[in-house]
Amino acid sequence: MSHLAPPSVRLLVCGNADRGDDGAALSAVATLLPSLPQSLLERLEVRRCGHLRVEDLLDIPSGEGAVVVDAAVGIPPGHVVVLPIRRLVADPAAPTPRSSHELPIDQVLGLAHTLRPGGLPDGTFVGIGGRRFGYGRPLSRSVRLNMSAFQAAIAAELGRITHQEVAS
């Protein structure tokens, strides 16, 4: 009898470090990755995407999960949200990733759902509400103060999808 390997996950890290809170995901993941257990890191593929594109979702293999991390709009600054990717399409009032510049997020996800065999990958959006997004600005105080909650939410989702234990 053969045992299947635990599921893999692709971590899509969105944002631009030169645009204030738009760089929140980059900052969070840069300091989070070294603290993750080796067993989780072996199941993880990290991809940096300045903005979420249809192609980022299309090439996720069947059976592999996705966690999209980004600054979010539509929620208070510093507030952390964890939502199924599919909810971003179904609920127009849901918070949305800030780094969707080519097309609105509902169109990016709608096209990926239509073009990808099997529809959208199983996955989660983890976002933190941003306050300022201007070029040359640092992370806002509200994002900096809640960075540990953002990182904990990212780690929890990675652990959930890969079935790995992650210490809080």
Side-chain angles (χ1 to χ4, degrees):
M1 170 155 65
S2 68
H3 295 282
L4 297 175
S8 296
V9 64
R10 183 167 301 172
L11 179 63
L12 298 170
V13 185
C14 303
N16 182 331
D18 296 335
R19 296 197 62 166
D21 292 343
D22 197 45
L26 298 166
S27 180
V29 170
T31 55
L32 173 65
L33 289 177
S35 71
L36 294 175
Q38 184 64 34
S39 60
L40 190 148
L41 292 172
E42 290 170 357
R43 309 298 317 158
L44 185 62
E45 178 184 353
V46 180
R47 291 221 182 152
R48 183 176 185 274
C49 48
H51 55 275
L52 188 62
R53 301 170 308 142
V54 174
E55 295 84 358
D56 295 321
L57 299 167
L58 288 180
D59 71 349
I60 296 175
S62 178
E64 186 171 303
V67 175
V68 177
V69 294
D70 196 1
V73 293
I75 57 173
H79 185 78
V80 176
V81 295
V82 179
L83 299 168
I85 291 174
R86 287 177 173 87
R87 179 157 172 226
L88 298 176
V89 177
D91 184 357
T96 59
R98 164 80 170 117
S99 302
S100 178
H101 300 299
E102 284 183 351
L103 294 170
I105 191 64
D106 61 331
Q107 291 180 22
V108 169
L109 296 173
L111 283 169
H113 175 74
T114 301
L115 297 172
R116 185 176 178 272
L120 287 172
D122 287 331
T124 308
F125 167 63
V126 181
I128 186 168
R131 179 179 298 278
R132 57 181 182 219
F133 299 98
Y135 277 107
R137 304 293 306 256
L139 294 175
S140 67
R141 184 172 193 270
S142 50
V143 168
R144 285 192 324 271
L145 290 175
N146 290 301
M147 187 60 70
S148 61
F150 187 37
Q151 290 174 317
I154 295 167
E157 279 306 298
L158 293 173
R160 183 186 67 76
I161 291 174
T162 59
H163 307 291
Q164 299 290 313
E165 191 74 28
V166 179
S168 300

